[in-house]
């Protein structure tokens, strides 16, 4: 296939993909305290790959994905289920939030809890859903 | 070890089974038997505590607000059932280790059967009615998978569906009954309900709740008129039949009735319905067993008969009847398990289980023959087997029944005459007489196939001779649990010459007579059946289901016509009419719009939205329409930003962008020109609907300002978001914590939608290619 897209768009898509991904992870993590969260993060991560798919092809974009789209769907649900079940194993009702603080060097603190894990599952799931739908529609012959 | 772990272990092994099977191959079947064997030993070791009435209760909260707990309870009755499930489970798994070794879906088989075992254990150990119901339903659908295991066969699929529909229907009725019982008795915990029997019985809801629960128990335990799914279930691989019939599935209903006997039993309603259903089932099963030719079908009908007997005994509810019930339960499990395993072993080695093609196998398979006859003697109730004791106690109970002793005794003797005849028919038909022409050359079945029958037949002989080994530790605690009071019991093989013994003698004599005149008898009975019992329940059920399906199909075609635009129209019209009616009804408009307060930038954004909307309606290009819709979305996002809802705004912007991309991509595949415009009349119609609906949304939003539902939940969220949810972003805390279950459901819906898209876009064209 000849190149129907502008090179500027292609370069932009290549450079923006990692940037958007990092940004989406930041949005995902800070979601619990400030605007952000798994849903928005997932949308951003998906946009990164959809941009790439528009600039090159969905095949190239699929290659760049660390997991297949269906694996993203499955892992999203699995992470959600694990985060919800963790509390059951420690004798609390289903989906009770559990928190722990990890101390990092330079006085930084990382608040980790099952809701954050839950958000990660939403993030993976939303990314998977969007990419599945988008790629499949792009690939209709 | 906690009771929860017993159930959990079996379930975990079930989920691991396919992987273990992949690694270890054929021998893995035998390995699985180790787990139920270990659990059997574990339960045996709990016996002393149970005998001393130290019942074990363990529970964790599940849905505490609904009083639903994952709680477990071990007393004499659950222990007896637990031992049956694990003990028979061990033998069945050893048996299927050989029987199933050449099946292609072996891993899946073990997954199903272990799941089934876990569910049965959970069911008998459950202390909470809802927990019990959950396990009950797991047994329903895992037995569906087991019965339909040979899913290439249409008969297997039909039988599986039939069993699922009937037991599933019963299960739902039972759930309704449980909820009523929980409300009336004030708790879902069986341990609490056992104290509240009198309250439940005097309540107004007693009749409906008993009837509902009975439907559940009757469907599961194949009581007349729900009995017909059980012979159909013979489509399952034989290890499954052996397990289902001896220790598990069909006994679940008996277990439930026995378990609830102290709470619900003792009333006229209870005694009458259980007695009627049980007696009918007992006779129907025994009668139809006699004319069958398939070994497994014969056994299936005798199971139905035995289940009827058990229900009848539970219904009678006297101390002696309960004793008889418990003993007969053990007797039946032992002989039925063994006989099914033998039927399967014969089928496997000889290639048929049709009694018309069998005969004269005695010299070639002596071990199987001995095991079979030992078992059959127990089934026929001959001394010195446990079956004899069982039958004696049953007769004793019936003779001493308060009002209808003679009637019950006649019924029981009639059913047992058939049982004796069937037992001899089975043994004689397979092992004696002339050898016919079976598909394979007969030889002794493989050792693993004979372990189960050998162990079981010797056990029932041993227990018959030394009944004391089960009286004290097993039977008494179980009776104790059903009667809810301690009992004193001495079982003996020989009770002396009395009325009961006379009945035994009559039964055996008449049974043997029937056996000797089997040829004319079967002929006459078959003729009789064709004349008077032509209604096949299976056919009746099938026709019922078919009629129901065609009715729903017609009904669905009206409601679910498949036109997206009509769905939307219907939703818009109905909802706006309802809201307009409500607004008119309450008459409280209370709209206060002060135009001066609106800042100029909001006015600008509103104008932008309005002009874009008008443009989108009147444009002739699809692309322009979509871009204009995008503009509306972005403008709305801007409003959200102005009012501080940054989260919503970002989401909206991202969603709008992605939808724009999606639309452009879809348009790319559409033909390049606008198709014919719709007719003016339909455009006017759509316009009116749009305006009415838009107006209603506007009115609703304006109205929402003035409606205060007390108390607003937002205060709670504001207050608790950080303390309970550890987050300052309230929107996010609501999504992932306070209302996490919703989010979970939504994500699942999204994933299902994505899978739907895959199947719509990817799978269909491929199939077409194959067809071409």
């Amino acid at each position: 296939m000849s190149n129907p897209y502008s090179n500027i768009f292609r370069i932009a898509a290549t450079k923006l993909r990692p940037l958007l991904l990092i940004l989406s992870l930041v949005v995902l993590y800070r979601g619990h305290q400030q605007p952000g969260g798994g849903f928005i993060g997932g949308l951003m991560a998906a946009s990164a790959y959809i941009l790439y798919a528009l600039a090159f092809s969905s095949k190239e974009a699929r290659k760049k994905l660390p997991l297949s789209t269906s694996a993203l769907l499955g892992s999203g649900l699995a992470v959600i289920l694990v985060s919800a079940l963790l509390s059951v194993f420690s004798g609390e009702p289903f989906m009770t939030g559990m928190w722990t603080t990890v101390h990092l060097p330079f006085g930084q603190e990382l608040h980790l809890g099952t809701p954050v894990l839950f958000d990660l599952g939403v993030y993976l799931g939303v990314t998977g859903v969007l990419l599945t739908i988008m790629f499949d529609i792009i690939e209709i012959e | 070890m906690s009771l929860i772990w017993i159930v959990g272990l079996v379930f975990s092994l079930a989920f691991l089974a396919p992987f273990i099977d992949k690694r270890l191959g054929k021998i893995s079947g035998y390995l699985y038997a180790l787990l139920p064997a270990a659990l059997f030993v574990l339960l045996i070791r709990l016996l002393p505590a149970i005998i001393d009435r130290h019942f074990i209760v363990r529970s964790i909260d599940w849905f505490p607000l609904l009083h639903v707990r994952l709680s477990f309870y071990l007393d004499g009755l659950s222990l007896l059932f637990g031992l049956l499930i694990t003990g028979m489970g061990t033998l069945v798994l050893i048996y299927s280790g050989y029987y199933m070794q050449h099946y292609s879906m072996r891993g899946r088989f073990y997954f199903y059967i272990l799941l089934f075992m876990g569910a049965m254990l959970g069911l008998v150990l459950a202390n909470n009615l809802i927990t019990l119901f959950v396990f009950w339903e797991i047994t329903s659908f895992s037995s569906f998978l087991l019965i339909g295991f040979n899913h290439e066969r249409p008969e297997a699929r039909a039988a599986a569906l039939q069993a699922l529909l009937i037991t599933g229907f019963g299960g739902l009725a039972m759930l309704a009954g449980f909820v009523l019982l929980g409300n009336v008795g004030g708790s879902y915990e069986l341990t609490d309900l056992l104290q509240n029997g009198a309250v439940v019985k005097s309540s107004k809801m007693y009749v409906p709740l008993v009837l509902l629960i009975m439907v559940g128990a009757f469907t599961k335990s194949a009581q007349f008129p729900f009995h017909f799914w059980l012979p159909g279930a013979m489509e399952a691989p034989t290890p499954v039949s052996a397990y289902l019939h001896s220790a598990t599935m069909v006994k679940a209903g008996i277990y439930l009735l026995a378990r609830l006997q102290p709470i619900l039993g003792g009333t006229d309603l209870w005694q009458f319905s259980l007695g009627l259903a049980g007696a009918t089932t007992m006779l129907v099963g025994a009668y139809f067993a006699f004319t069958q030719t398939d070994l497994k079908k014969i056994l299936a009908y005798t199971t139905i008969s035995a289940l009827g007997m058990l229900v009848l005994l539970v219904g009678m509810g006297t101390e002696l009847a309960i004793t008889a019930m418990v003993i007969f339960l053990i007797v039946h499990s032992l002989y039925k398990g063994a006989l099914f395993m033998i039927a399967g072993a014969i089928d496997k080695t000889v290639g048929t289980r049709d009694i018309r093609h069998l005969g004269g196998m005695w010299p070639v398979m002596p071990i199987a023959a001995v095991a079979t006859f030992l078992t059959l003697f127990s089934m026929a109730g001959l001394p010195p087997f446990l079956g004899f004791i069982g039958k004696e106690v049953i007769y004793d109970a019936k003779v001493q029944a308060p009002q209808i002793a003679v009637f019950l005794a006649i019924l029981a003797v009639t059913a047992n005459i058939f049982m004796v005849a069937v037992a001899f028919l089975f043994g004689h038909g397979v092992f004696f007489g002339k050898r016919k022409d079976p598909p394979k050359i007969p030889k002794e079945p493989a050792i693993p196939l004979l372990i189960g029958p050998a162990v079981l037949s010797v056990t029932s002989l041993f227990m018959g001779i030394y009944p004391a080994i089960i009286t004290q530790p097993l039977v008494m605690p179980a009776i104790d649990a059903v009667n809810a009071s301690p009992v004193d019991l001495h079982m003996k093989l020989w009770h002396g010459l009395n009325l009961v013994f006379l009945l035994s003698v009559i039964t055996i004599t008449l049974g043997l007579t029937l056996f000797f005149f089997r040829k004319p008898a079967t002929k006459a009975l078959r003729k009789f059946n064709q004349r008077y019992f032509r209604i096949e329940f299976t056919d009746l059920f099938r026709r019922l289901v078919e009629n129901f399906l065609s009715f729903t199909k017609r009904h669905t075609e009206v409601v679910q016509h498949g036109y997206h635009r009509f769905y939307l129209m219907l939703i818009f019209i109905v909802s706006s009419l309802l809201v307009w009616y409500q607004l008119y009804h309450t008459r409280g408009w209370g709209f206060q719009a002060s135009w001066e307060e609106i800042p100029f930038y909001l006015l600008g954004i509103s104008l932008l939205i309005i002009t874009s909307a008008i443009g989108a309606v009147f444009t002739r290009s699809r692309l322009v329409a979509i871009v204009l819709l995008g503009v509306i979305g972005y403008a709305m996002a801007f409003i959200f930003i102005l009012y501080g809802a940054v989260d919503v705004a970002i989401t909206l912007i991202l969603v709008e962008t992605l939808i724009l991309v999606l639309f452009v991509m879809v348009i790319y595949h559409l033909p390049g020109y606008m198709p014919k415009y719709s007719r003016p009349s339909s455009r006017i119609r759509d316009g009116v609907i749009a305006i009415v609906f838009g107006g209603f949304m506007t009115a609703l939003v304006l109205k929402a300002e003035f409606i205060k539902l007390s108390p607003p939940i937002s205060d709670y969220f504001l207050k608790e978001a950080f303390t309970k949810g550890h987050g300052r972003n309230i929107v996010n805390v609501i999504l992932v914590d306070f209302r996490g279950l919703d989010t979970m459901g939504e994500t699942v819906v999204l994933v299902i939608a994505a899978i739907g898209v895959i199947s719509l876009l990817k799978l269909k064209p491929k199939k077409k290619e194959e067809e071409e």
Side-chain angles (χ1 to χ4, degrees):
Chain A
M1 197 166 108
S2 63
N3 178 4
Y5 306 111
S6 77
N7 281 330
I8 298 173
F9 185 39
R10 291 197 150 185
I11 291 167
T14 320
K15 302 287 178 208
L16 277 176
R17 192 178 62 90
L19 264 179
L20 276 169
L21 278 180
I22 292 168
L23 193 62
S24 76
L25 286 173
V26 171
V27 167
L28 165 72
Y29 172 67
R30 58 171 239 159
H32 214 59
Q33 308 294 339
Q34 286 151 320
F39 191 79
I40 304 180
L43 291 178
M44 282 182 166
S47 321
Y49 283 97
I50 290 165
L51 195 66
Y52 198 80
L54 289 177
F56 296 90
S57 70
S58 65
K59 216 176 183 181
E60 289 295 313
R62 275 187 202 272
K63 269 187 211 160
K64 293 280 178 197
L65 271 176
L67 290 171
S68 74
T69 48
S70 41
L72 277 174
L73 294 178
S75 58
L77 285 189
V79 169
I80 286 179
L81 196 66
V82 166
S83 81
L85 279 176
L86 275 179
S87 59
V88 175
F89 287 118
S90 52
E92 296 281 333
F94 188 65
M95 286 198 99
T96 309
M98 299 194 315
W99 288 90
T100 173
T101 306
V102 180
H103 293 280
L104 296 177
F106 310 112
Q108 293 286 316
E109 283 180 343
L110 201 59
H111 289 282
L112 291 179
T114 49
V116 176
L117 194 64
F118 184 88
D119 232 7
L120 178 69
V122 174
Y123 173 89
L124 291 171
V126 168
T127 313
V129 169
L130 269 170
L131 290 181
T132 309
I133 296 175
M134 286 296 194
F135 286 170
D136 282 354
I137 286 179
I138 294 177
E139 286 160 13
I140 305 173
E141 291 303 322
Chain B
M1 192 163 66
S2 162
L3 299 171
I4 295 164
W5 281 105
I6 294 183
V7 181
L9 266 178
V10 182
F11 276 133
S12 348
L13 185 66
F15 282 99
L16 290 175
F19 303 103
I20 298 175
D21 192 77
K22 235 176 225 170
R23 272 284 159 80
L24 297 175
K26 280 178 200 165
I27 62 150
S28 59
Y30 302 116
L31 290 179
Y32 302 129
L34 292 175
L35 180 66
L39 294 179
F40 185 78
V41 174
L42 186 87
L43 287 173
I44 290 269
R45 290 185 52 181
L46 291 174
L47 265 177
I50 298 301
I51 294 169
D52 295 341
R53 298 173 70 79
H54 292 303
F55 303 141
I56 303 169
V57 182
R58 292 273 186 285
S59 76
I60 44 175
D61 277 342
W62 193 1
F63 293 111
L65 289 177
L66 293 172
H67 307 291
V68 175
R69 308 167 64 103
L70 203 57
S71 71
F72 296 93
Y73 176 57
L74 188 75
D75 65 354
L77 189 66
S78 9
L79 184 70
L80 173 66
F81 272 89
L83 285 174
L84 284 177
I85 292 163
T86 49
M88 286 301 299
T90 311
L91 295 175
V92 165
L93 283 175
I94 294 173
Y95 181 80
S96 46
Y98 182 85
Y99 193 91
M100 302 299 292
Q101 63 178 338
H102 295 299
Y103 275 67
S104 54
M105 299 172 296
R106 217 172 36 225
R108 205 185 287 181
F109 171 79
Y110 286 113
F111 170 51
Y112 295 161
I113 201 162
L114 286 166
L115 191 68
F116 183 72
M117 186 185 292
M120 269 315 291
L121 276 174
L123 197 162
V124 298
L125 293 176
N127 186 30
N128 188 292
L129 289 178
I130 304 298
T131 313
L132 194 152
F133 170 76
V134 170
F135 285 116
W136 182 281
E137 291 296 282
I138 299 176
T139 64
S140 284
F141 80 70
S142 52
S143 69
F144 165 75
L145 295 169
L146 286 168
I147 295 169
F149 187 70
N150 297 319
H151 57 81
E152 292 91 358
R153 289 169 55 85
E155 295 93 344
R157 293 199 302 270
L161 188 63
Q162 180 177 282
L164 181 73
L165 285 176
I166 293 173
T167 53
F169 156 75
L172 288 179
M174 190 185 80
L175 177 62
F178 280 177
V179 172
L180 286 180
L181 179 56
N183 283 349
V184 171
S187 166
Y188 284 123
E189 303 286 303
L190 283 166
T191 33
D192 296 343
L193 286 169
L194 284 171
Q195 318 290 328
N196 286 354
V199 180
V200 174
K201 269 176 249 180
S202 59
S203 120
K204 263 187 247 162
M205 299 311 270
Y206 175 73
V207 176
L209 78 87
V210 165
L211 292 179
L212 285 168
I213 292 175
M214 269 182 199
V215 170
F218 285 1
T219 48
K220 198 77 158 186
S221 282
Q223 294 299 296
F224 186 86
F226 306 112
H227 63 286
F228 56 93
W229 70 264
L230 194 60
M234 293 300 103
E235 289 291 338
T238 307
V240 178
S241 312
Y243 200 37
L244 244 69
H245 282 246
S246 58
T248 52
M249 174 88 164
V250 296
K251 296 273 165 72
I254 309 290
Y255 167 78
L256 184 71
L257 292 176
R259 174 55 86 204
L260 296 178
Q261 151 79 20
I263 305 168
L264 303 175
T267 59
D268 288 348
L269 173 72
W270 178 269
Q271 287 179 338
F272 180 71
S273 3
L274 290 194
L276 187 69
T280 320
T281 314
M282 176 174 80
L283 287 177
V284 166
Y287 174 76
F288 279 107
F290 189 69
T291 44
Q292 299 297 318
T293 53
D294 181 9
L295 290 184
K296 277 175 80 176
K297 284 263 166 74
I298 296 177
L299 295 176
Y301 278 104
T302 56
T303 301
I304 293 177
S305 176
L307 292 170
M309 179 85 78
L310 288 169
V311 169
L312 175 61
L313 288 170
V314 177
M316 288 167 65
T318 58
E319 199 167 285
L320 207 54
I322 299 300
T323 312
M325 192 278 289
V326 173
I327 296 170
F328 186 57
L329 187 80
I330 302 172
V331 171
H332 177 254
S333 300
L334 292 176
Y335 78 69
K336 196 46 66 72
L339 287 179
F340 264 112
M341 289 188 197
I342 285 166
I346 290 169
D347 187 16
K348 200 84 183 170
T349 37
V350 184
T352 178
R353 41 167 217 256
D354 191 322
I355 207 158
R356 286 168 299 188
H357 301 297
L358 292 164
M361 300 291 167
W362 153 249
V364 279
M365 40 177 84
I367 303 176
V370 169
T372 312
F373 274 98
L374 289 183
T375 318
L376 285 172
F377 289 154
S378 185
M379 173 175 162
L382 296 178
F385 293 88
L386 190 59
F388 176 72
I389 300 179
K391 189 164 52 80
E392 297 273 291
V393 186
I394 290 172
Y395 283 171
D396 204 7
K398 300 226 162 128
V399 170
Q400 294 187 17
Q403 293 130 2
I404 37 177
V406 181
F407 178 63
L408 283 179
I410 292 172
L411 284 184
V413 170
T414 318
N416 269 333
I417 290 170
F418 276 103
M419 288 292 241
V420 172
V422 168
F424 280 100
L425 207 68
F426 185 100
H428 181 272
V430 176
F431 293 106
F432 292 103
K434 211 168 62 185
R435 192 184 301 173
K436 319 267 174 47
D437 47 346
K440 289 186 201 164
I441 299 162
K443 58 176 197 296
E444 188 77 66
I447 306 265
L449 295 182
L450 292 176
I451 291 178
V455 169
L456 292 172
S457 58
V458 171
T459 311
S460 82
L461 177 62
F462 189 70
M463 284 180 178
I465 298 169
Y466 302 105
I469 57 163
I470 56 166
T471 327
Q472 188 70 18
L474 261 184
V475 179
M476 272 179 45
I479 300 168
D480 184 1
V482 180
N483 276 339
S485 62
V487 287
D488 194 28
L489 170 75
H490 298 286
M491 278 203 304
K492 278 184 300 198
L493 189 59
W494 180 245
H495 280 266
L497 284 169
N498 50 19
L499 180 62
V500 170
F501 185 73
L502 183 70
L503 285 178
S504 276
V505 172
I506 294 175
T507 312
I508 292 166
T509 324
L510 285 179
L512 281 174
T513 319
L514 186 60
F515 166 71
F516 283 119
F517 292 102
R518 61 189 174 278
K519 277 200 182 124
T522 20
K523 215 173 166 187
L525 286 180
R526 286 223 177 93
K527 219 173 194 174
F528 185 73
N529 286 352
Q530 275 179 356
R531 188 119 181 213
Y532 295 102
F533 292 118
R534 260 184 312 190
I535 309 166
E536 283 273 337
F537 277 85
T538 319
D539 279 342
L540 211 64
F541 179 74
R542 190 177 46 80
R543 236 179 297 153
L544 185 77
V545 170
E546 273 169 11
N547 282 336
F548 181 69
L549 283 181
S550 67
F551 165 73
T552 47
K553 204 176 167 211
R554 261 177 286 143
H555 181 252
T556 309
E557 272 164 9
V558 175
V559 182
Q560 305 282 332
H561 36 66
Y563 290 103
H564 186 62
R565 55 179 182 278
F566 288 135
Y567 286 135
L568 288 181
M569 242 150 65
L570 205 67
I571 294 169
F572 289 161
I573 292 172
V574 171
S575 52
S576 50
L577 280 182
L578 284 175
V579 171
W580 279 121
Y581 172 75
Q582 187 59 31
L583 282 178
Y584 170 77
H585 204 67
T586 49
R587 286 179 213 274
W589 291 94
F591 299 155
Q592 290 170 333
S594 46
W595 299 99
E596 294 82 35
E597 283 174 23
I598 301 173
F600 69 95
Y601 43 87
L602 266 187
L603 212 61
I605 293 171
S606 311
L607 272 177
L608 182 64
I609 291 177
I610 292 167
T611 39
S612 313
I614 294 172
V617 170
F618 287 102
T619 178
R620 292 175 150 262
S621 149
R622 282 196 205 101
L623 195 65
V624 173
I626 286 159
V627 170
L628 285 174
L629 284 178
V631 170
I632 296 175
Y634 288 126
M636 272 160 53
F638 199 65
I639 295 180
F640 283 129
I641 292 176
L642 287 176
Y643 281 98
V646 191
D647 264 316
V648 187
I650 302 174
T651 312
L652 190 59
I653 288 174
L654 284 165
V655 168
E656 284 296 336
T657 312
L658 289 168
I659 285 181
L660 211 63
V661 174
L662 193 73
F663 263 122
V664 169
M665 242 130 52
V666 171
I667 284 183
Y668 178 75
H669 295 286
L670 289 177
Y673 55 89
M674 279 291 249
K676 264 194 294 179
Y677 281 127
S678 40
R679 274 177 292 122
S681 58
S682 54
R683 292 170 76 193
I684 292 170
R685 177 199 65 197
D686 292 351
V688 169
I689 294 172
I691 289 169
V692 170
F693 189 69
F696 126 65
M697 284 308 288
T698 315
L700 211 60
V701 170
L702 290 175
K703 187 91 179 154
E705 272 288 297
F706 302 96
I707 299 171
K708 285 280 174 283
L709 297 168
S710 57
I713 195 164
S714 46
D715 290 344
Y716 170 81
F717 287 143
L718 276 174
K719 213 168 64 202
E720 305 291 355
F722 192 71
T723 46
K724 284 194 175 157
H726 294 265
R728 284 192 196 84
N729 179 0
I730 298 166
V731 176
N732 192 278
V733 172
I734 293 173
L735 282 176
V736 300
D737 201 318
F738 291 142
R739 307 201 60 89
L741 202 63
D742 286 0
T743 312
M744 192 175 187
E746 279 156 18
T747 316
V748 173
V749 169
L750 273 181
V751 170
I752 292 171
I755 294 169
V757 170
I758 296 178
S759 58
L760 280 176
L761 296 180
K762 283 271 162 88
L763 302 180
K764 226 177 171 184
K766 245 188 205 165
K767 237 185 197 170
K768 263 190 191 161
E769 273 165 29
E770 276 165 21
E771 277 168 16
E772 284 162 11

